[in-house]
Amino acid sequence: MMQALSVVTFLLGFAHAQINVIDLTHSHDDDAIYWPGNPQYNFTVINRGISAGGYWYESNSFATAEHGGTHIDAPSHFAQNRNRVDQIPISRLVGPGVVINVKDKAAADPDYRVTMEDLNAWEDVHGRIPAGAIVLMNSGWSKGYPNKTLVFGTKNVTQPSTFHFPGFHESAVDWLVKNRNIHVVGVDTPSTDYGQSTTYPVHVILGEADIAGVENVAYLDLLPESGSIVYVAAIKLHDGSGVQARVFATTQPQGGTTGAAPVHAVFMSTIVSTVVFVQMLGSL
């Protein structure tokens, strides 16, 4: 009897609980940023209006390269015989958020790369990077999106050799892969490797380790450095080396978070059923 009452108390408390849901995704449209050489986004309206049957009807067609906007890099993007998008276990697309704030360093040096010092500094404050972490670089770069000149760090936005934007240093990613159980590495820039890279070692290290990357992540200033859960809701694209993703995070409210939407977890039917069950027990 007391056990059942405890369940009811828990459920009643949970019914009034709330979480903050934080969108970390840029809208995908004609302004979406793609790496040079990829076809641009195309959106075609097929139907939009009152149908012959008298009801409103919308239907569209869109075409997109895999690696554009906020998107996931499957391990196969830079490593042979590694997981493609549809082969990534969904359990590896969610995990504790670890936000590495290098905004000041990136503002002083657009070619800045996240180093071991940055990772150590995070652990000094927040403790060991948790198992299954999604490690995200916050360089402040997303504030320039979708301005290609600002995002690529050059006026010559079709020539990668002129690009200047932050990323991860390969030594830091190699350490994460070998010493921490991480699920994803992400950045608020167009590449997990910095703009001046020509061999893309971060992509290669992640790919060989069967770890996904996420690029062009948005609004990381809304996310605490620790204490969130991040979700990479990628389309399950068969045979894909990458695909657009709706990246978002959840946090526990602490006096409210600007830009976050509260979600109330209400399970009243369960509570009512449990109350009935308790009443039945009491009548025995």
Side-chain angles (χ1 to χ4, degrees):
M1 180 73 172
M2 290 304 297
Q3 208 171 15
L5 285 172
S6 296
V7 172
V8 172
T9 302
F10 168 77
L11 290 173
L12 285 169
F14 191 61
H16 294 286
Q18 66 177 19
I19 57 172
N20 292 322
V21 181
I22 303 169
D23 192 0
L24 303 175
T25 309
H26 293 293
S27 293
H28 206 75
D29 52 29
D30 289 336
D31 292 325
I33 290 181
Y34 292 82
W35 199 259
N38 284 295
Q40 286 298 298
Y41 176 72
N42 178 269
F43 184 91
T44 302
V45 175
I46 299 174
N47 296 286
R48 183 171 294 179
I50 301 299
S51 69
Y55 52 85
W56 181 267
Y57 180 67
E58 289 192 16
S59 177
N60 311 296
S61 172
F62 68 93
T64 178
E66 296 174 324
H67 301 276
T70 304
H71 70 280
I72 188 172
D73 284 353
S76 67
H77 187 35
F78 270 76
Q80 191 175 18
N81 299 321
R82 296 298 187 269
N83 281 335
R84 296 192 171 101
V85 171
D86 60 311
Q87 297 169 324
I88 301 172
I90 197 167
S91 61
R92 296 191 63 85
L93 297 179
V94 59
V98 171
V99 179
I100 309 297
N101 187 337
V102 294
K103 290 190 296 182
D104 291 342
K105 296 174 181 178
D109 178 10
D111 295 322
Y112 187 77
R113 291 179 282 176
V114 174
T115 65
M116 275 301 309
E117 290 183 0
D118 297 312
L119 300 179
N120 289 334
W122 190 95
E123 290 197 333
D124 286 344
V125 174
H126 305 289
R128 183 184 175 92
I129 291 172
I134 295 183
V135 183
L136 302 169
M137 175 191 74
N138 181 9
S139 69
W141 226 248
S142 70
K143 67 180 183 295
Y145 195 97
N147 185 313
K148 291 183 180 180
T149 297
L150 295 178
V151 171
F152 286 127
T154 178
K155 292 182 179 180
N156 190 355
V157 297
T158 62
Q159 183 49 256
S161 65
T162 68
F163 290 176
H164 294 278
F165 56 77
F168 275 84
H169 196 284
E170 58 266 30
S171 62
V173 169
D174 187 60
W175 181 85
L176 283 170
V177 166
K178 292 177 178 177
N179 296 280
R180 297 292 183 268
N181 176 17
I182 60 170
H183 280 179
V184 177
V185 169
V187 292
D188 55 353
T189 60
S191 172
T192 50
D193 284 284
Y194 80 130
Q196 283 291 287
S197 180
T198 57
T199 56
Y200 309 105
V202 170
H203 280 79
V204 173
I205 292 168
L206 291 175
E208 290 292 346
D210 239 348
I211 294 172
V214 182
E215 296 165 340
N216 292 318
V217 180
Y219 317 125
L220 284 172
D221 281 344
L222 295 177
L223 205 59
E225 292 185 3
S226 177
S228 69
I229 301 295
V230 177
Y231 305 81
V232 182
I235 299 170
K236 196 174 182 179
L237 180 65
H238 178 70
D239 253 9
S241 72
V243 73
Q244 282 68 46
R246 186 68 180 264
V247 182
F248 64 98
T250 58
T251 64
Q252 292 296 321
Q254 295 180 348
T257 302
T258 303
V263 178
H264 293 271
V266 181
F267 296 103
M268 293 309 299
S269 62
T270 304
I271 294 171
V272 170
S273 298
T274 308
V275 170
V276 171
F277 175 67
V278 172
Q279 289 175 337
M280 289 174 61
L281 285 177
S283 65
L284 292 178

